[in-house]
Amino acid sequence: MDDLNDLLRPTWGSEQWILEGWNQITAEEKALIKRRIDKLFKNGLPFELKHDKILYIYAFSMLAQLEVLAIQVPLKFEAKMSLAEHRQRMRTQLLDEIFHGIVFTKIVYLLCAPHALPPAYNDEIEILCNFIRNEDCPKIAVVLLNLIGEGWIEEIFKSLYKADIAPEVFSTILEDEHRHVCEADLYKDIGLPDMALVRRKLEFLEKQLITNIFLQYKYMFSISTLLGVEGVLEFLRNLHDKHLEQLAKINIEPSEDWVFLMKMWEEIFPKIQNYTQNCYEVEMTPIRKVFMTQWENPSDPTMVGEFSINVSCLDFFNKKFPPETLTTLMLQTISKGLDKNVSWRSFLSHGKMYQSKEAYVGLIVRLPDCDDHMGTIVFENCHTMTNQQLSLNIRKILQMMVYCFKKREELEKEHPFLKNTIDKALYDYRNGFYAYPTPGNAVVSLSNIGFYGYTGTKSPLRNNEAMKYTILEIERKPVWNKEAQIFEPQDMLPVSISADHRIFDGNSPVPRLVQQYFNEMFAKMLEERSIAPQSPRSPDKKFIKICEQLIANNLELGYKSLLILQTYWMDPFAFEHLLDGNFAKKMMAHFKWQELA
């Protein structure tokens, strides 16, 4: 019957590696591990869930997959240690690593209950693990194992412990690390390998870490959310420092690819940090908590409102202003409304309610000469810009998004496997049993479909949106003038709002306020017409340079960056100006980019 169970019952990936170590230990050692497991799990899951459960599921799935790799160190090298003391410490290390693998795997099963299995074992992460497992040379294997086992993974443990995520679990595991065989003793007994060969292996391993771990969205976003942006920044710095420290022990340095990416992230993450710090959690009222039980994240809006505002001041049909003026004025109108009404800035993310300090508005556009591709350009407080400046910025950003689209197409033709990776990810997103950990969004989007003759619509919300506006075709119609007691022809703009009813208050006088803010933005535009827009310094050369360098350093990272930027452009992050400041100086010095000096 047991043989039949083995044939029929699926197992999760980490179990085979735990079993490999389990079969090498005695009954007494198994009993010791069991006692430790029973103690840690005496009350069930050994920590409190402070965030959405799906974040923990993906985070601990990744940790379980990586941690069982550490079992390979004592399995491979216990017998090779020359001193009895070192062999004993290596034996203790084997028991600890088996214990750690069981802990993480058991946590994943508990989190996923009552479902039979956790999320599917990640093939990309396993590529990295198998690269190390399959290394034939024991001298090289010990270097790689310690880099990943005692370096990178341990930094994740420390960061999660500091963030108060499962503190009892990580304190137990980190305490175990202090009694393991140190690198110096391993290198002394095993010997150091050929450094030229190690450098080549190291460069590949660094790329694997970036591509097969850092680019695995489900896992890294889950870890990042649990750590918070400040925690991620600290983790990256500590990871880089630990990496340098580990490599210094064998007198080698990280690859240029590693240096470039670490410096680039050092430049980008503070921008992300500024954005996230503008969003803060707010306590839900009792009725909001009830609403959270009634609706899931909407694929269709749970509330739709339609109204019209008077835009006769634009003299639209006589084309008094440039054709984009209506759209830019509405962007500023929405931004002004968000600025003046804090409740409009509310959004949900992983079951918690947040509000942004600033007004974020996203313009949904169809990229010119890019098939049917749609993109979103996000602005911060665009109501404070001049209307002319906003129009100019949109045109400049569109140029860069089109470049990203064209470059992405070019890469797909040269490297067909890239498209396959995205198709696979999209299939997993649509069909995977466990949901993707998509964050909520502080951005309120705007679509203008009036050019196509639409006069009414119910626009769907993305499942991470709280509100969106759609403007339709302007109509000239008779409107009752209460003061003159007559009908007068007026240009009326139909507006449709789609909103998440769990947080949006339908009792708010949105139509009146939108009309008020539109009038204010129009008056502001007239006052500022004499102010010449400041032409953004052309970012083309530098932006293309950084894209090319990113692609050259890591093809998949560069490709996925293009995918994001062709679709979602955060103007506050100013990606196009990465090479304007300290980052440029560092890169010019390191890579000798004289043409940008």
Side-chain angles (χ1 to χ4, degrees):
M1 189 64 181
D2 288 342
D3 291 341
L4 185 59
N5 281 336
D6 290 340
L7 288 173
L8 295 177
R9 186 180 70 86
T11 59
W12 198 58
S14 66
E15 295 177 50
Q16 65 167 314
W17 305 112
I18 295 171
L19 186 62
E20 183 181 9
W22 189 259
N23 289 335
Q24 300 300 316
I25 62 177
T26 66
E28 183 179 346
E29 290 169 331
K30 291 176 183 177
L32 173 63
I33 292 174
K34 185 178 184 303
R35 287 194 296 272
R36 294 191 71 189
I37 292 291
D38 290 343
K39 179 182 178 182
L40 185 61
F41 290 88
K42 62 181 182 294
N43 296 318
L45 192 67
F47 54 88
E48 177 187 357
L49 297 180
K50 300 178 180 179
H51 302 269
D52 196 341
K53 183 186 284 189
I54 194 66
L55 301 174
Y56 291 89
I57 288 175
Y58 283 123
F60 279 95
S61 294
M62 184 188 77
L63 293 178
Q65 189 168 354
L66 289 173
E67 178 61 10
V68 292
L69 180 62
I71 296 174
Q72 299 298 309
V73 175
L75 276 181
K76 286 189 174 185
F77 302 115
E78 179 185 352
K80 300 181 185 295
M81 305 303 288
S82 58
L83 297 177
E85 177 190 355
H86 291 168
R87 287 195 298 273
Q88 181 56 48
R89 290 179 67 187
M90 191 64 84
R91 189 67 176 183
T92 300
Q93 185 169 338
L94 174 62
L95 301 184
D96 286 345
E97 301 300 2
I98 293 171
F99 168 69
H100 299 166
I102 293 173
V103 166
F104 285 128
T105 303
K106 186 176 179 69
I107 286 173
V108 173
Y109 271 107
L110 288 173
L111 288 169
C112 294
H115 307 300
L117 288 174
Y121 222 52
N122 185 273
D123 293 337
E124 284 73 21
I125 294 176
E126 202 64 2
I127 289 173
L128 180 145
C129 294
N130 286 333
F131 170 71
I132 298 174
R133 287 192 186 102
N134 297 334
E135 175 55 54
D136 294 328
C137 174
K139 295 180 180 180
I140 293 178
V142 73
V143 172
L144 300 181
L145 279 165
N146 272 285
L147 279 174
I148 185 72
E150 302 301 324
W152 299 344
I153 297 178
E154 188 175 329
E155 287 307 318
I156 298 178
F157 294 165
K158 289 178 180 177
S159 297
L160 288 168
Y161 175 74
K162 188 171 182 179
D164 199 32
I165 302 298
E168 184 180 358
V169 172
F170 290 111
S171 64
T172 300
I173 289 174
L174 289 169
E175 186 177 337
D176 287 347
E177 300 293 338
H178 296 307
R179 58 187 186 181
H180 295 170
V181 177
C182 68
E183 293 93 337
D185 291 332
L186 271 173
Y187 297 149
K188 181 179 178 181
D189 276 4
I190 304 299
L192 285 173
D194 174 29
M195 287 298 107
L197 185 56
V198 168
R199 286 188 182 91
R200 291 198 296 273
K201 299 273 186 176
L202 171 67
E203 185 173 354
F204 180 81
L205 188 63
E206 288 172 340
K207 284 190 175 182
Q208 291 299 306
L209 175 69
I210 294 163
T211 303
N212 291 341
I213 294 185
F214 285 170
L215 293 186
Q216 301 308 307
Y217 169 81
K218 293 183 293 187
Y219 302 97
M220 293 319 299
F221 179 80
S222 297
I223 292 280
S224 299
T225 304
L226 295 176
L227 292 180
V229 176
E230 289 186 14
V232 172
L233 269 171
E234 184 176 1
F235 164 70
L236 287 173
R237 293 189 189 108
N238 292 340
L239 176 67
H240 183 52
D241 291 342
K242 185 63 173 282
H243 192 50
L244 294 176
E245 177 188 327
Q246 294 285 86
L247 294 181
K249 294 174 182 177
I250 51 176
N251 297 317
I252 60 175
E253 295 181 350
S255 66
E256 288 193 341
D257 292 356
W258 177 274
V259 173
F260 173 80
L261 289 167
M262 284 296 159
K263 290 187 182 300
M264 188 181 72
W265 283 335
E266 183 182 319
E267 193 76 14
I268 289 175
F269 263 91
K271 299 175 185 290
I272 299 174
Q273 185 179 27
N274 289 337
Y275 169 72
T276 58
Q277 286 177 343
N278 283 332
C279 300
Y280 54 93
E281 186 179 352
V282 294
E283 179 66 24
M284 288 189 191
T285 61
I287 192 63
R288 300 292 177 205
K289 292 178 181 178
V290 172
F291 288 165
M292 291 294 291
T293 68
Q294 302 303 303
W295 295 288
E296 298 293 334
N297 287 345
S299 55
D300 288 324
T302 55
M303 182 176 181
V304 177
E306 294 186 359
F307 57 91
S308 294
I309 63 172
N310 193 325
V311 295
S312 300
C313 56
L314 281 177
D315 198 6
F316 180 79
F317 294 104
N318 290 321
K319 300 180 181 179
K320 184 176 181 180
F321 297 95
E324 70 271 13
T325 304
L326 174 64
T327 301
T328 51
L329 274 176
M330 279 303 297
L331 278 173
Q332 293 183 306
T333 297
I334 298 168
S335 180
K336 179 80 170 183
L338 291 169
D339 179 61
K340 293 298 183 182
N341 299 272
V342 65
S343 65
W344 294 12
R345 302 197 300 270
S346 299
F347 65 98
L348 295 172
S349 186
H350 299 297
K352 296 181 180 181
M353 184 172 172
Y354 296 86
Q355 286 176 345
S356 60
K357 296 178 183 177
E358 310 298 338
Y360 294 101
V361 182
L363 175 63
I364 299 175
V365 291
R366 184 170 181 171
L367 269 59
D369 194 31
C370 293
D371 300 327
D372 60 351
H373 189 75
M374 305 294 291
T376 302
I377 305 173
V378 177
F379 294 99
E380 179 183 271
N381 298 326
C382 68
H383 62 283
T384 63
M385 300 181 188
T386 67
N387 193 271
Q388 300 96 311
Q389 187 70 59
L390 180 58
S391 297
L392 182 60
N393 289 356
I394 290 171
R395 289 195 292 272
K396 283 290 185 182
I397 291 170
L398 274 174
Q399 291 174 10
M400 290 182 284
M401 294 179 79
V402 168
Y403 163 79
C404 292
F405 180 91
K406 300 293 185 183
K407 187 65 178 179
R408 187 265 307 164
E409 283 191 321
E410 180 184 316
L411 289 178
E412 287 177 349
K413 290 177 182 177
E414 294 174 1
H415 310 279
F417 80 91
L418 290 172
K419 189 173 184 298
N420 294 336
T421 63
I422 298 304
D423 290 342
K424 180 181 176 182
L426 291 174
Y427 180 87
D428 185 36
Y429 185 91
R430 288 193 306 269
N431 299 288
F433 178 79
Y434 292 96
Y436 262 62
T438 307
N441 198 337
V443 177
V444 175
S445 60
L446 170 68
S447 295
N448 183 351
I449 59 174
F451 297 108
Y452 305 107
Y454 291 100
T455 57
T457 187
K458 175 185 174 182
S459 184
L461 288 172
R462 297 189 183 102
N463 64 7
N464 65 338
E465 282 186 310
M467 187 192 305
K468 73 183 303 182
Y469 285 71
T470 306
I471 55 176
L472 303 151
E473 184 180 37
I474 294 178
E475 298 176 293
R476 180 162 289 176
K477 58 175 61 175
V479 176
W480 182 250
N481 186 323
K482 292 181 181 179
E483 294 182 2
Q485 293 290 296
I486 58 172
F487 283 99
E488 296 177 339
Q490 301 290 334
D491 295 341
M492 305 302 293
L493 173 68
V495 179
S496 173
I497 297 182
S498 302
D500 186 341
H501 194 31
R502 294 175 296 176
I503 55 173
F504 183 74
D505 186 359
N507 294 315
S508 176
V510 175
R512 177 177 62 79
L513 292 174
V514 170
Q515 180 71 71
Q516 174 188 329
Y517 300 140
F518 180 87
N519 294 341
E520 291 176 8
M521 290 297 100
F522 179 76
K524 177 176 179 289
M525 180 185 74
L526 295 182
E527 291 174 5
E528 297 173 340
R529 290 185 74 178
S530 60
I531 302 175
Q534 183 179 2
S535 180
R537 189 152 41 116
S538 177
D540 295 348
K541 182 179 179 181
K542 292 184 178 182
F543 179 68
I544 291 172
K545 181 66 181 179
I546 197 169
C547 288
E548 289 176 345
Q549 185 64 45
L550 193 58
I551 293 166
N553 280 33
N554 189 294
L555 177 62
E556 192 166 339
L557 176 58
Y559 173 72
K560 289 185 176 180
S561 298
L562 293 173
L563 272 173
I564 294 170
L565 294 176
Q566 71 170 13
T567 305
Y568 206 81
W569 189 283
M570 289 288 293
D571 183 61
F573 291 176
F575 293 118
E576 70 274 24
H577 295 304
L578 273 179
L579 290 176
D580 287 349
N582 292 331
F583 182 63
K585 295 175 183 176
K586 294 175 185 176
M587 292 300 97
M588 284 189 288
H590 192 84
F591 293 103
K592 298 181 174 60
W593 292 351
Q594 299 299 331
E595 66 271 27
L596 295 182

